[in-house]
């Protein structure tokens, strides 16, 4: 899924259990989960392993205060549904930082 695809979506659909789980388990707020979709660069890929029932994707992105998150989501009609979110691990940060370097003008 290319990041430009997000333009067709109208917003987010939240499951109360998932938003509570993200907060309790990883201290990630709903707002932070949504912010990563708007702060470039983002890396989006299909999560083939967990796409048995529905297509799932993962995203590496950053919040408005530069918190780097790994977000798993699916899409339902014109909405993005967040499944889980957590801080990026070391390897994910390395991948994301390389992407930042590619987009840097320096």
């Amino acid at each position: 899924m290319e990041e430009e695809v997000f333009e067709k979506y109208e917003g987010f659909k939240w499951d109360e259990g998932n938003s509570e789980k993200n907060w309790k388990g990883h201290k990630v707020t709903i707002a932070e989960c949504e912010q990563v979709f708007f702060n470039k660069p983002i890396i989006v890929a299909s999560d083939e392993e967990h796409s048995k029932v529905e297509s799932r994707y993962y995203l590496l992105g950053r919040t408005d205060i530069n918190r780097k998150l790994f977000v798993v989501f699916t899409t339902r009609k014109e909405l993005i549904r967040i499944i889980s979110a957590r801080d990026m691990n070391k390897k994910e940060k390395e991948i994301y930082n390389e992407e930042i370097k590619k987009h840097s003008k320096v």
Side-chain angles (χ1 to χ4, degrees):
M1 172 180 277
E2 297 294 322
E3 62 186 74
E4 292 80 24
V5 171
F6 294 127
E7 294 172 9
K8 75 177 188 175
Y9 294 99
E10 297 174 357
F12 296 86
K13 175 181 175 67
W14 281 96
D15 172 278
E16 188 176 315
N18 284 345
S19 60
E20 189 174 316
K21 176 184 70 173
N22 290 328
W23 175 250
K24 284 184 176 180
H26 305 288
K27 300 297 184 228
V28 179
T29 67
I30 289 173
E32 288 176 310
C33 291
E34 294 179 4
Q35 288 168 9
V36 298
F37 287 83
F38 302 101
N39 293 323
K40 307 248 187 284
I42 60 174
I43 299 171
V44 181
S46 179
D47 183 359
E48 300 293 331
E49 184 179 339
H50 298 100
S51 292
K52 307 299 185 239
V53 175
E54 63 187 351
S55 294
R56 288 189 177 192
Y57 306 91
Y58 67 84
L59 178 146
L60 300 178
R62 62 184 175 85
T63 67
D64 291 350
I65 60 168
N66 208 35
R67 182 178 183 187
K68 294 175 180 159
L69 296 180
F70 174 92
V71 177
V72 177
F73 68 98
T74 190
T75 56
R76 297 209 175 140
K77 297 185 182 177
E78 292 83 30
L79 298 172
I80 296 168
R81 183 175 162 268
I82 308 292
I83 297 168
S84 66
R86 60 166 172 75
D87 289 306
M88 287 183 205
N89 64 31
K90 183 179 177 181
K91 183 176 180 178
E92 292 158 351
K93 284 181 185 176
E94 289 171 2
I95 292 167
Y96 187 73
N97 289 335
E98 285 300 314
E99 191 68 18
I100 288 173
K101 286 179 188 176
K102 286 187 212 174
H103 287 82
S104 175
K105 305 251 188 254
V106 182

